[in-house]
Amino acid sequence: MKLRFEGNMESFEQGIRELAHEIPFECAADDGICVQVEASPGDELEVGRKGDHAYIRYGKKHQFFRALGLLVQRGHEGDFELKETQRFDNVGPMFDLSRNGVLTVDSFQLLLRKMALMGMNTVMLYMEDTYELEGEPYFGYMRGRYSQEELRAIDDYADLFGIEAFPSIQTLAHLEEFLKWEAAKEYKDTKGALLANDERVMAFIERMIEASSAPFRSRKMHIGMDEAEEVGRGKYLDKNGYTGRFELMVNHLDKVLEIVRKKGLTPMMWSDMFLKLASTSSDNEHFSHDTKIPEEMASRIPKDVEMVYWDYAHIGEEHYEQLIANHRPLGTKLAFAGGVWVFNTFGVNYGLSLLATDDALKVCKREGIRDVYATMWGDDGMESNPYIALLGLQFYAEHAYTDAEVDKEWLKERVQFCTGIPYDAYMLMKDLDETPGSEPDNRKQSNPSKFLLYQDVLLGLFDKQIEGLPMNDHYAALEQAITAQRNEQAALDYMFDVPEKLAHVLKLKSEIGIELKQAYDARDLETMRHIAVHKLPEIASAVKQLRASHRTQWLRMFKPFGWEVIDIRYGGVVHRLESASDRILDLVEGRIAQIEELEQERLVFSSRNHLNHQGIGWSSYYLRMASPNVFFHVMNPF
């Protein structure tokens, strides 16, 4: 499709050239469809074609690029007219750049192009220690930290499309990866929290705020402060005695906000700690429906900080209505952060993500929440990636431009056009974890794609969790389904290499521990020999192929730092398979009388299992999947 633009196009020209590599159109000087481009007031965009003439009317810069995509998507079919109103002031992702997967600048720019076509207008960069901080060489050391130049390049590129990029940092807790260094000991309260009410710490925070905000045009800054339960319970307690966490947090927040205001920044923070501290539930759960913010608490909380209510896993509109109501007494502007579930998995839990997002965003529209973000956390090492989560981002975008339900067929058209990958291919990613035994839509967040890969075949920690379930058959069918959806002509097709090869591994490995234990208990030495000589080496070979594909994918998306963690995990799987073969052959060939690991009774890993309709299990940490024994021991975690 050839397009000839008329109007004031200076601010759009470079963005148009960048998107010409993503969707099928080219700019023409003299021929093609004449597109009249006009600015219009408000949050509306209009786009249409009639014969050899077309028009784009936009309220904000980013809306032009969504409209351009819509013109190319619909215009090749003939005449059409479309009018949309943006229902959120800000909509976009939060990329987790702190759990090993630090996107390269090129990868970030590719994602920004996809976001532009979707019509998103903001992106949050979650950086705990992955940015340069002058005078602190251990801050982000060997962690893939961004230079100031790299952050400016990301910001410049986002600005081409009218996308506002801004930093999300931590100014209280979640700083384990910096505070582990000896050089950081003067800043440390506990293993992850800063020492509150300390002048050196406040000077350090001021440098953090300056360094993380300087490369960006935006004056927004997310100052974090979530999940800070441990604050005041380490060195602070030894030095000052007990102080209530609310008092500590509010005093610390006041000091951080003094810095933020001085630098002309507009702050936001996670809201969970205030709801936890106000909760009367036994576990101080911030999702409790009964939480009431007392007046004495509300009066102490500054009103010029936007509270970000995060909630990733609840289904039901009434839940979000109640939690938003719980926040209202805080008296601050409220934003919402949902999730596209790439957390602790190789895939995406689209069943839960899309249902929870749908309920949450419908309520946000009714309740007047104007800023919404889609988080993509990389917990425990980032085995997954934001690319296979693009369907989730598309869903957020389409919600932002409709007042009603998102039409499923329209969503399918849009994600195919914007990303080049069909809806059905994305949805296969949920089946890495949505297996036999899981609850509908994997609502209990089982993650067998990870624990069945990493669990040890001799120890069988998760074998009881899947006993009696046809897991091998499930993954065999999934491998075939992914292969059938592959399209080598699609630019992003490579992101299915890892899921495809993982499904191949799991069709071989999922039930092998159960088979081995049964053979051992029956003293079926011939079956055990076959497992040792044929099956375990076949699995090890498949794991090596998976590792090679994952390595290629990682280095295409992320900086190399952090890959060593995944590499070590794959190495552990392979070597433990080899050890299992050796142990089995030692028994079969009479060198030992028993295999002590196989003498042990298999117990359920947790109360979350298919026997009580809690899915087939969840584990948050590789080290607990691989072994019940000690990986490391810290005598003094503070």
Side-chain angles (χ1 to χ4, degrees):
M1 175 183 276
K2 290 185 177 181
L3 302 177
R4 176 165 48 90
F5 297 97
E6 291 189 355
N8 184 0
M9 301 302 296
E10 183 177 356
S11 64
F12 301 118
E13 287 175 353
Q14 190 173 348
I16 291 171
R17 286 195 296 270
E18 294 295 319
L19 292 186
H21 302 296
E22 299 290 320
I23 54 177
F25 80 97
E26 59 181 287
C27 295
D30 301 316
D31 58 349
I33 299 171
C34 178
V35 184
Q36 185 65 43
V37 178
E38 300 174 353
S40 62
D43 290 321
E44 293 184 348
L45 68 85
E46 297 179 70
V47 57
R49 175 187 176 183
K50 188 171 184 180
D52 291 335
H53 290 80
Y55 62 89
I56 290 175
R57 303 186 187 107
Y58 64 93
K60 296 176 181 175
K61 183 177 180 179
H62 70 279
Q63 293 172 345
F64 167 84
F65 292 102
R66 178 176 170 92
L68 172 59
L70 291 167
L71 176 59
V72 176
Q73 177 186 343
R74 296 286 302 275
H76 77 278
E77 300 171 353
D79 295 354
F80 80 99
E81 288 187 328
L82 186 62
K83 182 177 181 179
E84 294 181 330
T85 301
Q86 188 171 333
R87 305 295 174 177
F88 300 117
D89 294 334
N90 294 290
V91 58
M94 183 224 73
F95 294 129
D96 183 352
L97 306 166
S98 297
R99 271 45 177 269
N100 296 353
V102 180
L103 290 162
T104 66
V105 173
D106 286 345
S107 295
F108 210 121
Q109 291 175 342
L110 184 150
L111 290 167
L112 288 168
R113 292 193 294 273
K114 301 304 182 186
M115 290 168 53
L117 291 171
M118 295 175 186
M120 291 185 155
N121 66 337
T122 192
V123 60
M124 196 188 310
L125 288 76
Y126 180 75
M127 303 178 292
E128 291 174 357
D129 66 333
T130 47
Y131 55 96
E132 282 183 338
L133 186 57
E134 188 176 354
E136 299 289 348
Y138 286 92
F139 194 81
Y141 176 60
M142 292 290 184
R143 296 252 297 135
R145 62 190 172 203
Y146 287 118
S147 68
Q148 295 280 297
E149 291 75 19
E150 287 175 315
L151 291 176
R152 274 193 288 272
I154 290 170
D155 186 61
D156 287 345
Y157 201 79
D159 187 63
L160 292 179
F161 306 108
I163 297 172
E164 182 181 24
F166 67 96
S168 172
I169 67 170
Q170 291 288 357
T171 59
L172 184 56
H174 276 304
L175 286 168
E176 292 87 349
E177 298 312 316
F178 172 58
L179 294 178
K180 66 175 180 262
W181 297 109
E182 182 182 357
K185 64 182 179 181
E186 66 181 18
Y187 304 132
K188 180 162 61 173
D189 177 11
T190 68
K191 64 180 180 179
L194 294 170
L195 184 62
N197 293 331
D198 183 273
E199 291 183 5
R200 292 169 302 179
V201 169
M202 294 315 302
F204 170 68
I205 290 173
E206 182 161 9
R207 288 189 288 126
M208 290 169 63
I209 290 171
E210 176 60 31
S212 61
S213 63
F216 297 96
R217 292 169 173 80
S218 174
R219 294 293 81 197
K220 285 184 183 176
M221 163 157 284
H222 197 308
I223 58 174
M225 296 199 182
D226 59 314
E227 298 180 322
E229 288 86 355
E230 64 192 86
V231 68
R233 296 182 174 184
K235 288 184 179 179
Y236 181 92
L237 184 63
D238 295 338
K239 182 179 178 180
N240 302 291
Y242 176 76
T243 303
R245 281 181 296 171
F246 177 72
E247 193 68 27
L248 271 177
M249 278 204 65
V250 172
N251 289 339
H252 186 76
L253 175 60
D254 285 340
K255 292 175 182 178
V256 172
L257 291 181
E258 283 180 23
I259 299 168
V260 169
R261 295 177 189 122
K262 181 173 66 175
K263 296 184 180 298
L265 299 169
T266 302
M268 59 178 69
M269 66 176 287
W270 305 112
S271 67
D272 58 294
M273 282 303 297
F274 292 127
L275 270 73
K276 287 176 182 177
L277 293 171
S279 175
T280 57
S281 66
S282 59
D283 57 356
N284 296 118
E285 173 57 66
H286 74 284
F287 294 127
S288 171
H289 287 194
D290 298 328
T291 296
K292 305 291 184 185
I293 301 291
E295 173 57 33
E296 59 269 24
M297 176 183 285
S299 66
R300 295 284 307 281
I301 294 171
K303 307 308 178 195
D304 61 343
V305 57
E306 184 175 14
M307 292 291 169
V308 184
Y309 154 43
W310 60 264
D311 199 334
Y312 313 135
H314 289 94
I315 296 172
E317 293 181 40
E318 64 282 354
H319 168 80
Y320 295 98
E321 291 171 348
Q322 183 60 59
L323 266 291
I324 289 172
N326 289 356
H327 279 82
R328 295 299 190 193
L330 293 172
T332 66
K333 184 180 179 183
L334 185 62
F336 175 77
V340 184
W341 267 90
V342 295
F343 322 170
N344 256 306
T345 175
F346 279 79
V348 187
N349 187 347
Y350 274 125
L352 176 60
S353 294
L354 297 183
L355 287 173
T357 296
D358 194 39
D359 287 342
L361 296 191
K362 284 189 288 189
V363 173
C364 284
K365 291 175 193 177
R366 292 200 300 267
E367 294 290 333
I369 306 300
R370 300 299 299 175
D371 300 335
V372 298
Y373 301 95
T375 67
M376 284 172 282
W377 298 103
D379 295 7
D380 193 46
M382 185 64 91
E383 276 94 353
S384 189
N385 64 81
Y387 284 56
I388 57 174
L390 284 170
L391 170 61
L393 292 190
Q394 191 80 56
F395 192 57
Y396 269 80
E398 300 317 310
H399 245 298
Y401 288 91
T402 180
D403 197 32
E405 300 275 349
V406 174
D407 181 80
K408 187 174 180 179
E409 294 307 311
W410 177 241
L411 177 63
K412 288 182 177 182
E413 286 182 42
R414 288 291 291 155
V415 78
Q416 171 82 58
F417 176 79
C418 291
T419 72
I421 300 296
Y423 173 93
D424 291 341
Y426 283 109
M427 290 300 284
L428 288 174
M429 297 303 95
K430 71 184 179 64
D431 293 333
L432 287 168
D433 295 306
E434 193 173 320
T435 65
S438 68
E439 291 300 288
D441 299 306
N442 198 8
R443 298 183 186 200
K444 299 298 182 181
Q445 303 151 251
S446 296
N447 62 339
S449 68
K450 189 165 173 173
F451 64 65
L452 291 180
L453 172 66
Y454 291 143
Q455 82 156 338
D456 188 272
V457 67
L458 287 179
L459 302 177
L461 294 179
F462 294 86
D463 284 349
K464 200 71 175 177
Q465 299 285 136
I466 65 165
E467 194 173 62
L469 299 174
M471 303 297 286
N472 288 354
D473 291 345
H474 171 82
Y475 285 112
L478 179 58
E479 180 189 12
Q480 291 182 349
I482 295 172
T483 301
Q485 283 285 350
R486 298 291 299 269
N487 174 12
E488 292 182 0
Q489 304 306 311
L492 294 183
D493 179 71
Y494 73 91
M495 69 187 182
F496 295 107
D497 286 347
V498 171
E500 183 179 37
K501 287 183 171 61
L502 176 59
H504 178 74
V505 169
L506 294 181
K507 81 176 182 182
L508 303 173
K509 186 176 185 290
S510 292
E511 300 176 53
I512 193 66
I514 296 171
E515 183 183 352
L516 175 60
K517 182 71 163 70
Q518 290 173 344
Y520 179 81
D521 289 345
R523 286 304 188 267
D524 183 350
L525 299 185
E526 194 56 41
T527 295
M528 293 185 72
R529 180 186 294 275
H530 182 73
I531 290 172
V533 173
H534 297 288
K535 290 194 173 184
L536 297 187
E538 182 185 10
I539 295 170
S541 176
V543 172
K544 290 175 183 177
Q545 293 177 47
L546 168 61
R547 175 251 173 204
S549 288
H550 201 163
R551 176 184 179 276
T552 298
Q553 176 184 281
W554 182 285
L555 295 177
R556 195 167 177 175
M557 294 180 181
F558 302 121
K559 296 187 178 189
F561 304 97
W563 167 249
E564 75 279 0
V565 172
I566 310 299
D567 216 8
I568 290 166
R569 292 176 182 181
Y570 281 127
V573 173
V574 170
H575 284 293
R576 284 301 295 165
L577 288 167
E578 293 172 352
S579 291
S581 290
D582 292 341
R583 295 277 285 153
I584 294 166
L585 290 176
D586 281 344
L587 176 77
V588 169
E589 295 172 2
R591 288 183 290 276
I592 58 175
Q594 65 178 10
I595 299 175
E596 291 180 69
E597 301 96 318
L598 296 178
E599 290 286 329
Q600 299 292 311
E601 179 187 0
R602 279 9 186 186
L603 304 176
V604 294
F605 184 83
S606 73
S607 61
R608 295 175 66 169
N609 59 71
H610 68 282
L611 301 175
N612 60 10
H613 304 290
Q614 293 291 315
I616 65 166
W618 171 270
S619 183
S620 296
Y621 301 107
Y622 158 79
L623 62 91
R624 297 301 178 216
M625 300 173 194
S627 172
N629 289 298
V630 176
F631 266 68
F632 57 84
H633 180 62
V634 181
M635 290 295 293
N636 180 7
F638 303 141

